[in-house]
Amino acid sequence: MDKQKLAAEFEACRGPLKSYILRMTTSSQDTEDIVQDTYLRAHAKLESFKGDSSLKTWIFAIASNLAKDHLRAQKRWPENVTDICREKAMANQPFFQEAMQIRQTSPQGKFEIAEHIAFCFTCVSKSLPLEQHLVLLLKEVYDFKIKEIAQIIDQTEAMVKYYLHTGRSTMLRVFDKRCSLINKKGVCHQCTELNGIFNPDQNAQEAVVRIKMAREAHKADKQHLFDLRMEVVRGIDPFESDASDLQLHHLEHNRQVMENYLKNK
């Protein structure tokens, strides 16, 4: 293994690596720092790479360890994070003024319901225990195999399967209660509510039915609906999408709200 090949491989996986770290930290600045530290550590430890895994898996292992070190002392978010942050946003006029400015001026300031589904997953998944969160992202969003995930988090394949099962089960329960696109009796209607704010001329129901998950909600079981939700998440790069500026602004707001909320708990 030479450093030129490392640099090429790192650039090839930089996009997925950045979005993975963002979905763990919810901080653009922390993401940039961890990605940079990952490259520096990989560069310094290149001689230790023995080829027992792919270079991509090895890079993700380094990044995961750095992210875990960063997050370990932090409290996990509550399952009702979206309700807490919505209440704070409604009372925060500057937040909406900044968001509307982004909506009107940025080429990446569009609001799309599919984008918010991915955004919602990012926030709610931070309520999972840290190891479950990592495994769920690596398997369901970044398509690593069980064996590769075991190498990344330095656990047995049996433990990876356990984390995946429990993580999925928890997320299924949370979304079954809260997502109005799946369960019309759910308490969360933020997708359609925000669509009305940012796209007042767009019929929210027409926008919703373009999403496969919503079209199949009446006939699909919960497991399949979760898989469809993951399909939405996989299709969106939070740094490169048409809504990235708006969603990153929204994510920073939620991160700050959660920091204050957990500090006072």
Side-chain angles (χ1 to χ4, degrees), residues 137-155:
L137 287 173
L138 290 167
K139 181 65 172 69
E140 303 288 1
V141 182
Y142 297 95
D143 205 27
F144 283 94
K145 296 179 174 61
I146 295 295
K147 180 179 179 180
E148 294 170 326
I149 299 171
Q151 292 171 325
I152 289 172
I153 68 170
D154 193 24
Q155 287 281 359

Side-chain angles (χ1 to χ4, degrees), residues 168-263:
R168 277 184 64 104
S169 297
T170 299
M171 295 297 281
L172 280 165
R173 174 181 56 76
V174 174
F175 281 125
D176 183 50
K177 291 181 178 180
R178 312 194 71 79
C179 182
S180 64
L181 296 185
I182 292 177
N183 183 345
K184 297 303 180 182
K185 295 180 181 178
V187 299
C188 179
H189 298 272
Q190 290 188 35
C191 289
T192 51
E193 182 178 56
L194 288 169
N195 188 75
I197 293 171
F198 293 108
N199 300 322
D201 297 328
Q202 181 186 72
N203 183 287
Q205 189 58 36
E206 291 177 2
V208 167
V209 297
R210 298 190 192 117
I211 301 168
K212 187 178 179 182
M213 186 180 73
R215 293 199 305 271
E216 298 193 9
H218 67 287
K219 62 180 181 180
D221 62 30
K222 297 174 185 179
Q223 295 284 347
H224 182 57
L225 288 172
F226 185 79
D227 290 338
L228 292 176
R229 181 182 291 276
M230 294 300 92
E231 187 178 301
V232 172
V233 177
R234 283 194 297 273
I236 293 173
D237 184 328
F239 285 105
E240 300 293 338
S241 73
D242 289 343
S244 62
D245 285 349
L246 189 62
Q247 298 291 8
L248 288 172
H249 172 263
H250 198 162
L251 191 62
E252 178 62 20
H253 167 267
N254 284 16
R255 187 184 67 80
Q256 292 179 8
V257 168
M258 281 295 101
E259 282 188 359
N260 292 330
Y261 174 83
L262 293 171
K263 190 184 299 182

Side-chain angles (χ1 to χ4, degrees), residues 16-28:
L17 187 66
K18 279 185 64 177
S19 67
Y20 168 61
I21 299 301
L22 179 71
R23 285 172 169 137
M24 288 174 61
T25 65
T26 64
S27 166
S28 296

